[in-house]
Amino acid sequence: MATVEIRNLVKQYPGAAKAAIPNANLTIDDQSFVVLVGPSGCGKSTLLRMIAGLEEISGGELLIDGQRMNDLSPKDRDIAMVFQNYALYPHMSVYENMAFGLKLRKFSKAEIDNRVRAAADILDMKELLDRKPKAMSGGQRQRVAIGRAIVREPKVFLFDEPLSNLDAKLRVQMRVEIKRLHQRLKATMVYVTHDQVEAMTMGDKIVVLKAGVIQQADSPMNLYNNP
Ligand code: ADP
Ligand code: ADP
């Protein structure tokens, strides 16, 4: 459970003429599914990476449940991110890929085992735990990447265009799976896409970004009626 507050957030890349994010303000409600949408280069990924702690912020504040997290490393944030390119370790099995982040955080073997098996169950991957990613399909790899986030039991999930490398049929299936996961885990989810249909079908709230500026933030229904 977590509310994320973005207050006067700024990102200025060194040497860039203009700020990638000049001044963003947004409240992401507890347990909501918020989709960030907009054309390539509008700052979606930058915003997400700042929330994840992968990108230094140039100004403003990020709060989770009122707690300032500007200076926390990714490891110490109660947040997990799923990347477009899956970012799996190719030489490790599915099990090891999912366990890795927990090992880093010094969880016990038994706890790791419980969590990995529970995640594999949720994602219907129990048969695949010994496989290596290179012997898996794109959809299976993306499931592993999601599993790696689930085992952390984070308050907030971040998805950076997680389905864009999948074919159309699988994309539709994974959309449904991710929404189901959202209901099941009751986590707060922030999802980046440039696909309008994905945004309209998945978001409780859609945030439209243009040149680093939030243009609109509303429910799909309200956006559809007042484009
Ligand atoms: P999106 O995810 O919407 O495609 P990005 O957040 O990747 O957009 O990029 C926003 C802007 O910041 C773009 O103008 C991009 O060129 C710039 N940018 C992104 N990453 C970097 C970086 N590492 N260094 C300099 N500029 C960057
Ligand atoms: P997780 O917490 O998701 O289990 P870990 O923290 O164990 O992952 O290790 C993965 C590390 O690699 C993290 O620091 C993560 O931020 C980083 N990482 C993974 N994929 C990417 C990527 N595509 N770009 C930047 N950093 C990445």
Side-chain angles (χ1 to χ4, degrees):
M1 311 233 185
T3 302
V4 179
E5 290 167 87
I6 293 169
R7 298 263 181 266
N8 301 312
L9 195 65
V10 180
K11 179 63 190 186
Q12 170 75 55
Y13 285 107
K18 276 173 43 187
I21 308 278
N23 183 355
N25 285 282
L26 181 67
T27 298
I28 297 167
D29 293 329
D30 182 32
Q31 296 181 44
S32 62
F33 196 108
V34 170
V35 178
L36 300 180
V37 70
S40 182
C42 72
K44 304 182 294 295
S45 187
T46 297
L47 193 54
L48 206 65
R49 291 171 63 85
M50 285 196 286
I51 299 172
L54 297 172
E55 196 74 70
E56 221 172 285
I57 74 178
S58 314
E61 277 194 319
L62 276 167
L63 309 169
I64 288 199
D65 290 336
Q67 199 199 347
R68 197 178 136 98
M69 55 170 177
N70 290 32
D71 312 318
L72 291 183
S73 75
K75 196 166 144 290
D76 298 323
R77 293 182 187 205
D78 217 345
I79 291 180
M81 183 145 159
V82 176
F83 297 93
Q84 176 179 5
N85 60 6
Y86 320 129
L88 301 176
Y89 305 101
H91 57 286
M92 293 184 194
S93 68
V94 168
Y95 186 102
E96 290 164 336
N97 265 285
M98 291 210 257
F100 188 80
L102 300 179
K103 274 191 198 155
L104 277 186
R105 293 171 179 81
K106 313 273 184 241
F107 282 82
S108 73
K109 272 215 163 88
E111 178 65 16
I112 292 174
D113 199 60
N114 282 340
R115 289 192 185 199
V116 169
R117 289 182 193 286
D121 192 24
I122 289 173
L123 295 167
D124 202 11
M125 280 193 331
K126 281 193 287 196
E127 319 301 315
L128 296 173
L129 285 172
D130 296 327
R131 270 300 171 93
K132 300 240 164 105
K134 64 180 179 219
M136 303 177 80
S137 70
Q140 289 172 330
R141 286 180 201 181
Q142 191 50 280
R143 263 195 204 94
V144 180
I146 294 171
R148 204 171 54 176
I150 291 175
V151 296
R152 296 260 315 279
E153 300 181 356
K155 289 181 178 169
V156 181
F157 284 78
L158 306 176
F159 294 91
D160 195 0
E161 308 215 20
L163 308 184
S164 34
N165 290 334
L166 304 180
D167 66 44
K169 187 161 161 242
L170 201 51
R171 232 168 21 234
V172 172
Q173 188 188 326
M174 289 297 294
R175 268 186 216 155
V176 175
E177 280 191 30
I178 290 172
K179 285 295 284 183
R180 201 177 287 147
L181 195 64
H182 177 239
Q183 278 166 2
R184 175 165 183 165
L185 300 180
K186 301 194 190 320
T188 305
M189 296 192 169
V190 187
Y191 188 102
V192 163
T193 182
H194 58 259
D195 181 333
Q196 299 277 356
V197 176
E198 216 163 274
M200 293 300 266
T201 54
M202 295 183 82
D204 303 329
K205 190 195 234 180
I206 299 180
V207 175
V208 183
L209 267 178
K210 197 175 156 192
V213 178
I214 295 175
Q215 308 286 319
Q216 283 173 303
D218 213 335
S219 68
M221 189 58 96
N222 287 342
L223 282 181
Y224 185 74
N225 291 325
N226 311 293

